[in-house]
Amino acid sequence: MDDLLDKLRDAVGRRHVLTGDTQTRRFRQGYRYGGGAALAVVRPGTLVEMWRALQACHRAGVVIIMQAANTGLTGGSTPVPEGYDRSVVVINTMRLKRLDLVKGGEQVVSHPGVTLDQLEKALRPIGREPHSVIGSSCIGASVTGGVCNNSGGALIRRGPAFTQFALYARIDADGELRLVNNLGMALGEAPEDILRRLDSGSFSETDLVEASNPHASDHEYCDHVRDISADTPARFNADPRRLYEASGSAGKLAVFALRLDTFAADEESQVFYIGSNDPAELETIRRDILGGFTNLPIAGEYMHRSAYKASERYGKDLFLYIQTFGTDKVPLAFSCKSRFDGITEKLGLGGTVSDCVLQFIFDRMPNHLPRRMNDYRDRYEHHLLLKMGDAGIDEARVYLARRFPSVSGDYFECDEKEGKAALLNRFSVGGAMVRYRAVHPKTVEDIVALDIALPRNTLDWFERLPPEIAQKIEFTMYCGHFFCHVLHQEYQVKKGEDCEALKHDILALLTARGAQYPAEHNVGHLYEAAESLQAFYRELDPTNAFNPGIGKTSLNLHWKDAGHHGRQERT
């Protein structure tokens, strides 16, 4: 493989081909899962360099894992520890940050390293927003990663990240690497000519070519989510209505550029903080708003008291870091932390020293959350953060004043500081659960993290586990995008318990309730892809060269030894 490494260095420059466990650790280890071996991590600086690196990998016959910000929660853009029949090369796209506004900013052409935070800042001066402005943007997620993984986002009106406009490379059934231009832009014919024009931004509005009926966002979702009588979820990863080329491709294509819609920002917004001890009360609010309001909310985020407490304590450092430095500095912090953890692992001290040190420090700092929020933490089990915009503010204000206070709950209108704190505390939960596991190694076996979508007509939405399952769990966290009925349910499993068996038992209960999973984090290497989703992956990548094993499918070339439901059979 020395010849391949030389070709990769020729393509992108020596300093951008990383080898060795320490150099590559932060690219091989996902946010929660991963850690398999890689021959190299390649970091191209232009689309032409990315194409040349792809060509070299294709000729060498290696596994190609496309990776952007590596913020996924299911290990879908990192190598698995074992089972590949070829060497692995990770192509990380985060140096490819060119972003072009088209149609007066109503659409953008995004290269694969553009982050949600970068896009949000570019659109803010013209009064527009990207698909998602809270949630994954807090940890530096990429625009392309969101589209490829059908990420849902927290914004109710906009649905899953989706577009039918994409420029991508695939390896066809004949084993040929081909560049496919479905970007809706006339950019030439030869791959490197197309890519050079995009690299330099050498195109104009006259190069935009409209197809028969293409869409650059999920334009139907605002009506789809309102159907509270439907017995299917509003959104989930295997939903065929939103699987199209790059959208939902989960690394089975190499995406060079996407064309996406942007959205007019609300001139005003207001967060209402609702607390209740009756989950049915929150469901009534959800149904009243989706079924009867003229204006859909911007967002409606649910937190159980357990999630609030976990984020309050174990997500405090992330909260304060983002509050101080902004979301755009989060990837740098994660990179530094990963490098430090790599050194401590090499010294035999383990990979959680940084977590233990940070937790020790921040446990001794004063409480950082607003007093009224902490009061609701103590009074109410269930919390709903309702964010309304423009005309919807008064609509919600009238409705909530009529409904509350009730026997079970109450609400207050957040001031600006409280509103920001409430949402940031909600989106620090994911990191808090990883931290909890890291600092409780003696009592926690591992996290079982589920990402589920309940049918839109579900009334009894809050999970009550049977005692025989609950007794195996040390700590349970519930939060989610409530109006979409997308819930994140995470379980810190007690030491010595079988995590896979526990996950199987909980998923069986969810299946009986009509849930689909995963809802928005994609299958990664933790969920088995549905047969329809496997068929989509095979259509995109018939030789299984890109990201093999995704959705527990075959890890081998040409999908060899794919057994029942596409799983690799091992003896």
Side-chain angles (χ1 to χ4, degrees):
M1 288 295 172
D2 289 343
D3 185 50
L4 172 59
L5 293 176
D6 288 340
K7 286 183 169 56
L8 292 173
R9 290 173 183 129
D10 289 341
V12 306
R14 180 170 293 274
R15 66 187 293 253
H16 297 299
V17 178
L18 310 179
T19 58
D21 289 348
T22 303
Q23 272 196 330
T24 62
R25 183 187 185 278
R26 68 188 176 103
F27 303 95
R28 295 183 296 104
Q29 179 66 53
Y31 190 61
R32 288 185 177 173
Y33 303 97
L39 175 70
V41 173
V42 185
R43 303 187 68 223
T46 66
L47 298 182
V48 171
E49 288 183 2
M50 178 173 154
W51 173 248
R52 291 172 179 172
L54 270 176
Q55 288 179 308
C57 290
H58 173 236
R59 293 188 191 108
V62 296
V63 164
I64 302 166
I65 296 181
M66 301 303 304
Q67 180 188 86
N70 194 19
T71 59
L73 300 179
T74 57
S77 60
T78 52
V80 294
E82 60 179 9
Y84 296 114
D85 59 350
R86 298 150 284 166
S87 297
V88 174
V89 172
V90 176
I91 299 180
N92 181 278
T93 63
M94 291 306 291
R95 294 178 62 220
L96 304 172
K97 291 186 173 296
R98 184 175 181 95
L99 176 67
D100 292 285
L101 276 58
V102 296
K103 292 190 169 183
E106 291 184 4
Q107 290 186 342
V108 296
V109 176
S110 174
H111 290 210
V114 172
T115 63
L116 285 167
D117 183 79
Q118 177 188 346
L119 178 54
E120 182 181 353
K121 288 177 178 175
L123 294 174
R124 190 177 295 148
I126 60 172
R128 300 191 71 81
E129 293 178 338
H131 163 265
S132 180
V133 296
I134 53 176
S136 295
S137 57
C138 292
I139 55 173
S142 71
V143 174
T144 297
V147 171
C148 292
N149 289 300
N150 283 135
S151 297
L155 304 185
I156 297 167
R157 310 167 192 165
R158 301 179 191 174
F162 176 79
T163 184
Q164 293 176 316
F165 292 108
L167 175 71
Y168 59 87
R170 69 187 294 262
I171 297 173
D172 63 22
D174 295 326
E176 294 295 321
L177 177 69
R178 301 187 188 280
L179 187 70
V180 180
N181 181 11
N182 287 339
L183 201 57
M185 300 174 69
L187 297 169
E189 297 298 329
E192 292 203 5
D193 291 342
I194 293 171
L195 298 173
R196 282 193 189 95
R197 289 187 65 182
L198 287 172
D199 276 328
S200 61
S202 301
F203 57 85
S204 66
E205 299 286 322
T206 59
D207 293 313
L208 302 183
V209 179
E210 297 297 344
S212 55
N213 190 29
H215 297 289
S217 63
D218 187 351
H219 63 292
E220 302 169 335
Y221 190 75
C222 56
D223 297 320
H224 183 72
V225 73
R226 281 187 182 270
D227 188 359
I228 54 177
S229 64
D231 61 1
T232 57
R235 55 183 169 94
F236 58 100
N237 283 133
D239 187 351
R241 64 185 286 276
R242 286 299 171 254
L243 296 176
Y244 187 90
E245 295 182 348
S247 296
S249 59
K252 302 302 286 183
L253 300 172
V255 178
F256 286 81
L258 298 172
R259 190 168 139 202
L260 296 152
D261 284 337
T262 68
F263 305 87
D266 292 275
E267 292 184 9
E268 296 181 76
S269 65
Q270 175 64 51
V271 176
F272 299 89
Y273 201 106
I274 302 166
S276 179
N277 287 314
D278 182 6
E281 185 168 45
L282 296 191
E283 181 59 30
T284 299
I285 292 170
R286 172 184 171 270
R287 296 177 70 83
D288 286 350
I289 290 176
L290 290 178
F293 270 37
T294 301
N295 302 280
L296 276 177
I298 297 171
E301 291 301 302
Y302 168 72
M303 291 185 84
H304 186 262
R305 179 188 283 146
S306 62
Y308 187 108
K309 288 183 174 180
S311 190
E312 177 186 18
R313 180 177 180 188
Y314 299 102
K316 183 192 288 188
D317 57 325
L318 179 60
F319 180 105
L320 292 174
Y321 183 89
I322 292 173
Q323 191 178 64
T324 304
F325 300 107
T327 57
D328 57 333
K329 296 295 190 294
V330 172
L332 174 63
F334 283 152
S335 174
C336 292
K337 181 180 180 299
S338 181
R339 290 177 188 276
F340 180 85
D341 291 340
I343 293 169
T344 59
E345 278 184 344
K346 209 167 186 179
L347 294 174
L349 301 175
T352 62
V353 174
S354 64
D355 289 288
C356 294
V357 170
L358 287 168
Q359 196 59 45
F360 178 85
I361 294 170
F362 282 89
D363 270 346
R364 280 145 187 82
M365 295 180 66
N367 191 285
H368 58 294
L369 296 177
R371 179 189 57 79
R372 286 202 291 182
M373 285 171 53
N374 286 334
D375 177 54
Y376 268 48
R377 171 203 63 198
D378 297 334
R379 290 170 58 191
Y380 301 114
E381 182 180 2
H382 305 282
H383 300 230
L384 179 61
L385 287 54
L386 177 64
K387 186 175 183 180
M388 303 296 298
D390 295 342
I393 297 173
D394 282 339
E395 191 173 19
R397 188 173 281 144
V398 170
Y399 170 81
L400 294 172
R402 188 173 67 244
R403 167 168 282 281
F404 291 110
S406 68
V407 173
S408 303
D410 207 347
Y411 84 102
F412 65 87
E413 287 193 32
C414 295
D415 60 29
E416 185 177 3
K417 181 179 178 181
E418 289 170 328
K420 289 180 178 179
L423 292 170
L424 187 49
N425 190 53
R426 156 68 183 89
F427 291 107
S428 298
V429 171
M433 295 301 283
V434 175
R435 172 65 54 76
Y436 187 104
R437 176 182 63 181
V439 299
H440 292 90
K442 294 182 180 179
T443 59
V444 171
E445 184 69 28
D446 205 349
I447 302 172
V448 169
L450 302 182
D451 159 37
I452 66 119
L454 295 172
R456 284 166 281 174
N457 65 356
T458 300
L459 297 177
D460 187 14
W461 60 273
F462 185 68
E463 179 177 75
R464 304 286 185 187
L465 290 173
E468 62 272 19
I469 292 179
Q471 67 183 2
K472 300 176 181 179
I473 300 167
E474 176 172 299
F475 181 79
T476 303
M477 185 283 295
Y478 298 105
C479 66
H481 311 308
F482 189 63
F483 285 79
C484 306
H485 263 175
V486 167
L487 297 173
H488 304 302
Q489 306 185 168
E490 303 196 11
Y491 315 88
Q492 301 279 352
V493 182
K494 288 181 179 178
K495 198 72 173 178
E497 296 290 348
D498 186 333
C499 294
E500 279 300 312
L502 181 69
K503 177 180 175 181
H504 179 271
D505 291 343
I506 296 173
L507 288 179
L509 296 174
L510 289 166
T511 299
R513 295 170 63 197
Q516 292 279 353
Y517 44 83
E520 62 176 5
H521 289 162
N522 219 302
V523 289
H525 291 288
L526 299 185
Y527 295 89
E528 185 175 294
E531 290 186 8
S532 58
L533 190 55
Q534 291 184 42
F536 178 62
Y537 293 159
R538 285 176 178 262
E539 179 184 357
L540 296 180
D541 183 23
T543 69
N544 205 22
F546 289 103
N547 209 13
I550 197 79
K552 298 192 175 183
T553 56
S554 171
L555 290 161
N556 297 329
L557 186 64
H558 297 298
W559 303 86
K560 185 181 177 184
D561 297 328
H564 181 58
H565 292 307
R567 288 174 293 184
Q568 182 187 18
E569 301 295 333
R570 297 179 187 158
T571 56

